[in-house]
């Protein structure tokens, strides 16, 4: 690390894999390769912390570098109020305190979609945008990030919004549902249209960003969502969570 290239470690905890890299936080780019270890099935919080430690060790980063953790649940004052897609053992836990049992570094934890949205506003699809930007990540669940004037308003959890049909956005239109129900892109786009229209009506954003692994196929479904508000694919793809978490860790460590 040099003064012109400040960096931090970013870790993205997902339902199927835990990924991490060393990030140049000025440019929003990986400095090392991205390491991935499968998430232990039904893994306890301490087991997950152990995998995070393994990835950090692989990075061989200077000992004082902070770690940002992108985590698939809301994080309120460091604590997980509810957990949709990982072990229920996380509920009520202070995530950084658990990880600290395995990792002796400054640790900052935030919601995964918040990390991705923040990264897209700083370096990606909404770079320099000062209006209201909403990012939705389509994966096992649906995550959301709300950013206005480059400030993140955390824990919006719009994936749990109950639609007119009584089903939550996430259970109706995540990319996991698209796969499980064998939907065509047309059918899925109709569902996504309900989700986007509802959120559009509630928040009147200036821009939507769509992330998650499936966003690489954006040409197949984004044009099928008729909305006046522009919808663009994420630019940083599956790097966004890692980059956003590293950026937040860097900023928080300097406070
Ligand atoms: C969780 C969110 C998370 C999203 C994507 C949802 O089920 O409640 O916190 O951002 O999944 O992982």
């Amino acid at each position: 690390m040099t003064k012109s290239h400040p960096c931090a470690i970013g870790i993205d905890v997902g339902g199927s894999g835990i990924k991490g890299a060393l990030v140049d936080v000025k440019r929003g780019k990986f400095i090392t390769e991205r390491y991935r270890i499968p998430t232990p099935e039904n893994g306890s919080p301490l087991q997950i912390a152990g995998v995070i430690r393994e990835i950090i060790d692989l990075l061989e980063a200077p000992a004082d570098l902070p770690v940002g953790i992108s985590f698939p649940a809301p994080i309120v004052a460091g604590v997980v109020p509810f957990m949709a897609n990982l072990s229920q053992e996380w509920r009520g836990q202070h995530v950084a305190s658990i990880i600290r049992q395995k990792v002796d570094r400054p640790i900052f934890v935030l919601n995964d979609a918040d990390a991705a949205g923040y990264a897209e506003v700083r370096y990606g699809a909404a770079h320099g945008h000062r209006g209201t930007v909403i990012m939705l990540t389509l994966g096992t669940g649906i995550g959301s990030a709300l950013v206005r004037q480059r400030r993140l308003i955390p824990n919006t959890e719009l994936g749990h919004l109950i639609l007119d049909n009584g089903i939550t956005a996430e259970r109706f239109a995540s990319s996991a549902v698209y796969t499980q129900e064998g939907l065509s892109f047309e059918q899925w786009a109709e569902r996504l249209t309900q989700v986007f229209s509802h959120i559009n009506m509630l928040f009147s954003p200036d821009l939507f960003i769509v992330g998650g692994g499936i966003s690489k196929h954006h040409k197949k479904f984004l044009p099928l969502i008729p909305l006046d508000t522009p919808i663009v694919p994420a630019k940083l793809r599956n790097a966004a969570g890692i980059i956003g978490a590293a950026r937040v860790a860097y900023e928080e460590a300097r406070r």
Side-chain angles (χ1 to χ4, degrees):
M1 185 180 67
T2 67
K3 276 218 169 98
S4 56
H5 286 282
C7 47
I9 296 169
I11 302 281
D12 185 14
V13 177
S16 56
I18 299 176
K19 290 94 43 185
L22 190 56
V23 177
D24 173 339
V25 296
K26 268 259 145 49
R27 297 182 307 139
K29 295 233 181 301
F30 290 172
I31 296 175
T32 59
E33 71 173 276
R34 167 183 173 274
Y35 292 94
R36 178 185 190 277
I37 296 179
T39 309
E41 218 170 294
N42 296 319
S44 69
L46 212 53
Q47 274 175 303
I48 304 266
V51 174
I52 292 172
R53 165 66 189 262
E54 276 182 60
I55 293 180
I56 292 174
D57 286 349
L58 288 170
L59 298 175
E60 296 179 342
D64 58 341
L65 279 193
V67 187
I69 312 271
S70 147
F71 198 77
I75 302 293
V76 182
V79 173
V80 176
F82 69 87
M83 172 54 92
N85 298 312
L86 275 187
S87 159
Q88 289 304 316
E89 283 181 65
W90 283 106
R91 273 182 62 179
Q93 299 290 344
H94 189 275
V95 180
S97 305
I98 292 177
I99 297 171
R100 224 166 264 134
Q101 292 178 43
K102 299 281 185 184
V103 177
D104 184 20
R105 288 172 185 269
I107 296 171
F108 302 91
V109 185
L110 76 164
N111 171 261
D112 55 2
D114 282 342
Y118 192 56
E120 290 291 342
V121 169
R122 284 223 75 100
Y123 316 102
H127 179 65
H129 202 297
R130 300 196 68 85
T132 302
V133 178
I134 293 187
M135 175 158 182
L136 293 186
T137 61
L138 307 174
T140 311
I142 293 185
S144 63
L146 174 61
V147 184
R148 180 161 169 82
Q149 300 199 336
R150 300 173 73 191
R151 291 219 162 181
L152 179 67
I153 294 118
N155 298 319
T156 42
E157 293 293 325
L158 298 179
H160 297 283
L161 197 68
I162 299 173
L163 303 172
D164 290 343
N165 57 16
I167 307 176
T168 64
E170 168 168 309
R171 294 237 164 118
F172 188 55
S174 67
S175 77
V177 168
Y178 156 77
T179 311
Q180 282 154 14
E181 297 191 18
L183 302 177
S184 64
F185 274 118
E186 289 73 18
Q187 289 168 322
W188 189 40
E190 272 178 36
R191 294 190 182 199
L192 288 172
T193 301
Q194 291 189 47
V195 174
F196 279 91
S197 307
H198 200 63
I199 295 175
N200 196 43
M201 184 264 285
L202 294 173
F203 292 89
S204 302
D206 298 297
L207 178 70
F208 277 112
I209 305 175
V210 175
I214 196 139
S215 64
K216 62 172 176 279
H217 299 300
H218 63 91
K219 289 200 175 113
K220 300 206 169 115
F221 63 97
L222 287 191
L224 306 178
I225 304 175
L227 210 67
D228 289 340
T229 308
I231 310 181
V232 297
K235 250 199 188 148
L236 304 171
R237 299 274 164 80
N238 58 9
I242 296 175
I243 293 174
R247 175 75 209 193
V248 167
Y250 169 75
E251 287 174 7
E252 292 289 326
R254 280 163 52 101
R255 272 172 192 264

